[in-house]
Amino acid sequence: MGIIKDTFKQKADAAAAEIKDILKEHGNKVIGEVTLSQAYQGMRGITGLVSETSLLDSQEGIRFRGYTIPELQQKLPKAPGGTEPLPEGLFYLMLIGDLPTKDDVEHVTNVWQRRSHVPNHVFEAIEALPVNTHPMTQFVVAIMALQTESHFAKRYAEGMNKKDYWDAVFDDSMDLIARLPRVAAYIYRRKYKDGEHIQPNGLLDWAGNFAHMLGYEDEEFKELMRLYMTIHADHEGGNVSAHAVHLVGSALADPYLSFAAGMNGLAGPLHGLANQEVVKWIFEMNEDLKTDSPTKDQIAEYVKKTLSEGKVVPGYGHAVLRKTDPRFTAQMEFGKKHMPDDKLVQTVWNVYEVVPPILQSMAKIKNPWPNVDAHSGSLLVHYGMVEYEYYTVLFGVSRVLGVMASLCWSRALGFPIERPKSVTTELVKKWLKGEDNIWGE
Ligand code: AMX
């Protein structure tokens, strides 16, 4: 067994024993109540999932295994000469639960390099789609094509013992993570760079090599990719992509099938597609106003126009957060350090001053503050990546780290198939009249 797999198994066995004891003693403790509104309105605020890799606080934002983003930027190993964390380190932290050493991170990089071969039929599957197909559709098709390589599916068909599920999920997770940058870069070069593909560089780290295969050799862009891949990786378990992977995986669909489900969810404009929507919205505003530096008054007018047309202001609001997303702040700091005079980045900062008071004045909006997607695109445009339809693929390549670490935990802890109870409005009406109960007993 490899070192990481071995360490994971030890940690997971200890955690499983601890959880068994906790449930034996406290399994009947009530952790919340569910109102009728919550059942109809997106299950907001219902605690009904366990996800070990990260935890979201509505005021403070995300912590990965207890560490905030600034703490990760300080504590996780960096590339030589770099200042941003290597995503390999975050993956190790989410999977194992401890901060990695420099050697641990190098080991992860090496394992992923060794496992990164993408079979030809995956590229052929991508090529079978019209070139103008949305990059997220190409991405999901590629992930599905990779499924032929699943150890889990093969071993399950051969009659694998349920005690070994975690082992096959672990192997699939490492393969999938290792292969994803090559597939994603292929889609980018195919759609936007006349199919001129760039071979991987086996000497680079995971995110650095991804930047290289995308065609961006600037060391600053590589640093941006390391930061980007770190901050987008996980946002606890209830968001659409993480929850979809968890749900589909609970049916013992293999990691490729499960991840593809999550990526279909990430492609929704209220979730991961918001990063493309933000840049599209700013480009359209600039075109409308015939400027590349709109004033705050002009932005305010445009925001009001967007709202009056029954559209959302992309990049603002959140189902859980009630403050500025620390992932937004981390990107703002990157912008201040590397490109303080960039006009688009400055527009993003002006939007940040203008939008919250307007949204605050609308009582129904629970969070007027920016989320991760409000900033990411402007940094990419600065380095020349203007093809905003591609941005959600970058989000997806990062998200694989969190959801696969979580899937390993779900199988190691023996979580069962997920199956919440649903009701009909007919039953709700009967229950309100006292003619039936709503609990399905
Ligand atoms: N612009 C306009 N209206 C907004 C809004 C925004 N940015 N954010 C929320 N609202 C509206 C909702 O559409 C809803 O209106 P309705 O009652 O008429 O349907 C009302 O305010 C209440 O919504 P909420 O409880 O504050 O938010 P939510 O939990 O239902 O939804 C979210 C959260 C993110 C989907 C929503 O804020 C939104 O649509 N934001 C814009 C899209 C976006 O940036 N998504 C990315 C989120 C981060 C991510 O997953 N990557």
Side-chain angles (χ1 to χ4, degrees), residues 40 424-435 438:
Y40 276 92
T424 60
T425 300
E426 200 51 42
L427 180 68
V428 167
K429 289 194 292 192
K430 281 190 185 157
W431 168 69
L432 289 172
K433 284 192 228 156
E435 291 170 9
I438 206 164

Side-chain angles (χ1 to χ4, degrees), residues 44 270-271 274 307 312-313 315-317 319 364-366 371 373:
R44 214 71 86 252
L270 297 189
H271 189 22
L307 292 168
V312 295
V313 180
Y316 282 76
K364 69 172 184 178
I365 298 182
K366 297 193 191 64
N371 58 57
D373 299 312

